[in-house]
Amino acid sequence: IADCGLRIADCGLRIADCAQIVQPAGMSASISPAPAQNGHQPHPSSSTPRVLLLALRDDWLGPPRLAGALREAGLAVAAVCPSEGPMAVSAAVQQRYLFSRQQPPTLPLLRQAFEDWQPARILPMDDAAVLLLRRLMQMQPPLPAAQQAPLTAGGARPIEQSDWLDKHCGNTRARDLGLAVPDWLLLPPGSTQMEPLRRLGLPLLAKPAIGYGGIGLRRIERNEQLEELRGSPRALLLQREVSGSTWACGFYAEQGRLLAALCAEKERVHPAPYGPSSRLRITAQPALRAATARLLAANHYTGFGSLDAQIDDQGQVWFLELNPRPSPFLHLGAHAGPDLAAALAAVLRGEDYLEPALRQPSWSVALYPQERLRDPLGQEAGMADWDLPEHDPPLKAWLERWLKAQTG
């Protein structure tokens, strides 16, 4: 990210926190083996491949659902997570390394997780975790080789992959590869140079150069709105708006090879009009999949992620961003057909993964509890299948409490 001349903005974990993580100071943290539930045993056999999930945010609801998919695929799952979040209660997690939301995990806790669990892969579940892996790779003196090995297993490149959090870097990479990218300009922090932005034309979308979930995104329709951005304390990306439908291609890739993917049209978002998806339609989208595969191959990408795109009325795929961590629908693969968690499990067992076709040509799914939050009266409840965590009662109860707290 520094290569693009930008500061790393707040992704839910400040850079000061990242520095604190790698200090050897003690803190209040605990290690919690999960009790056996739903027939699962808390301690996996030595032959079961192990993964360690880094879930640093306590308000991201997708990571524990992916944890369940990984367990169903036959992997042993542990997590470094806040004690207040949903991952801390999920029955899918067999071992938890807990910290408090008031303070990020310290290096001793992370080292203990690495040494105790001995994961074949360490998987970032949110943007803050992506930044943490970058920081761990940049430590001086470096981490011992045995602790660095799972960070780069399978050809993962935590530093290069974290650059995707910077939308300017992502746009540049996609454009250089020949993908269609809506015209954009970067407005550095404090900049008063507005004339180049006016030449882009209106309407524009203004968004933080580093951010997620549509937070801080604004539609600029008038020059007066553009002037309000003068001297912004945060780096902003100003981009031409493209009409059409918004899509995501969630994937698992290994050393640049796309092993499994789910393409989904965003039918509903919350909050509207630019928030995260609450209802999706999973269907084949060959052009989007091809663009995703091309980008992953060129960047030797390893891991989960999703590519967001706009598809216009002519079928042109316009690159918007690549998220270098899971999106909230990636756990749906076992039901949809292409199973991203099973793809990783096959890799870790040394097997080939043969990606199956979609079981349905078009499948609408309401994400829980996001769609319930958007549509509390259930006016559109019958328009999609509900994605309820029925096989994880503790997680379902946590999500119900969260939903109640959000709606008052």
Side-chain angles (χ1 to χ4, degrees):
I1 293 174
D3 295 339
C4 291
L6 290 177
R7 299 173 301 165
I8 301 179
D10 185 3
C11 289
L13 185 74
R14 301 185 306 273
I15 289 305
D17 293 336
C18 287
Q20 182 180 357
I21 286 171
V22 298
Q23 298 301 319
M27 64 166 290
S28 176
S30 63
I31 301 173
S32 170
Q37 298 193 49
N38 301 325
H40 296 308
Q41 295 300 317
H43 299 292
S45 69
S46 59
S47 61
T48 303
R50 299 182 176 205
V51 294
L52 178 66
L53 311 184
L54 297 186
L56 303 189
R57 295 293 299 261
D58 63 3
D59 56 350
W60 285 41
L61 308 182
R65 304 304 303 277
L66 183 58
L70 294 167
R71 283 295 302 280
E72 290 296 324
L75 299 179
V77 178
V80 176
C81 59
S83 57
E84 302 87 350
M87 192 76 84
V89 303
S90 171
V93 180
Q94 295 158 278
Q95 182 87 352
R96 305 181 184 98
Y97 301 86
L98 301 174
F99 59 93
S100 168
R101 68 159 63 110
Q102 281 77 31
Q103 206 171 8
T106 57
L107 184 58
L109 180 65
L110 294 171
R111 280 179 167 159
Q112 187 165 10
F114 295 175
E115 294 170 2
D116 174 48
W117 193 247
Q118 296 185 359
R121 296 292 170 88
I122 297 175
L123 305 174
M125 293 289 105
D126 50 46
D127 289 0
V130 172
L131 288 177
L132 172 58
L133 293 184
R134 177 190 181 99
R135 182 71 178 89
L136 291 175
M137 291 299 298
Q138 293 175 323
M139 281 185 59
Q140 293 298 329
L143 286 173
Q147 295 177 16
Q148 272 206 17
L151 302 180
T152 57
R157 302 177 176 184
I159 295 176
E160 290 85 348
Q161 288 178 203
S162 70
D163 286 342
W164 288 106
L165 294 175
D166 183 331
K167 293 177 173 56
H168 178 59
C169 283
N171 283 356
T172 301
R173 287 179 176 179
R175 182 194 60 191
D176 290 349
L177 194 59
L179 273 62
V181 183
D183 292 340
W184 84 93
L185 284 173
L186 180 69
L187 185 69
S191 175
T192 60
Q193 301 299 315
M194 309 302 290
E195 186 56 36
L197 301 177
R198 295 190 185 95
R199 290 197 290 269
L200 276 178
L202 298 175
L204 295 173
L205 295 179
K207 47 191 170 184
I210 302 173
Y212 62 90
I215 296 175
L217 193 153
R218 295 177 55 190
R219 191 173 192 265
I220 306 299
E221 301 173 331
R222 304 184 307 275
N223 284 325
E224 294 81 2
Q225 292 174 297
L226 197 60
E227 279 297 320
E228 293 173 3
L229 305 180
R230 183 187 294 271
S232 168
R234 298 185 67 179
L236 297 175
L237 197 79
L238 279 292
Q239 193 161 33
R240 288 288 301 272
E241 185 179 38
V242 175
S243 61
S245 53
T246 305
W247 289 72
C249 181
F251 59 81
Y252 182 78
E254 187 83 5
Q255 298 187 51
R257 187 162 65 97
L258 178 59
L259 297 184
L262 286 178
C263 292
E265 182 181 9
K266 300 183 180 182
E267 293 188 321
R268 294 289 186 271
V269 298
H270 183 77
Y274 302 117
S277 302
S278 61
R279 198 175 84 203
L280 299 162
R281 183 175 69 90
I282 295 175
T283 188
Q285 210 336 302
L288 176 57
R289 181 190 173 100
T292 302
R294 184 177 178 186
L295 204 60
L296 297 175
N299 290 274
H300 307 284
Y301 191 103
T302 289
F304 292 103
S306 68
L307 187 150
D308 288 357
Q310 199 79 358
I311 301 182
D312 63 25
D313 293 339
Q314 288 72 47
Q316 175 66 59
V317 175
W318 295 89
F319 172 89
L320 297 180
E321 63 183 10
L322 188 145
N323 298 302
R325 40 74 184 165
S327 287
F329 68 97
L330 300 197
H331 65 284
L332 295 171
H335 301 281
D339 190 339
L340 282 61
L344 171 59
V347 168
L348 296 184
R349 289 193 292 262
E351 303 168 356
D352 292 330
Y353 177 72
L354 301 178
E355 184 182 20
L358 289 170
R359 294 179 179 175
Q360 303 178 53
S362 180
W363 180 35
S364 288
V365 185
L367 300 180
Y368 181 84
Q370 296 94 318
E371 178 66 0
R372 187 65 54 80
L373 187 62
R374 185 197 70 82
D375 182 22
L377 299 180
Q379 293 175 316
E380 298 183 2
M383 300 182 67
D385 292 336
W386 280 89
D387 173 40
L388 298 170
E390 299 290 3
H391 299 295
D392 194 340
L395 176 61
K396 184 180 179 183
W398 190 98
L399 293 174
E400 290 170 348
R401 292 193 299 271
W402 179 90
L403 182 61
K404 184 176 181 180
Q406 298 298 311
T407 58

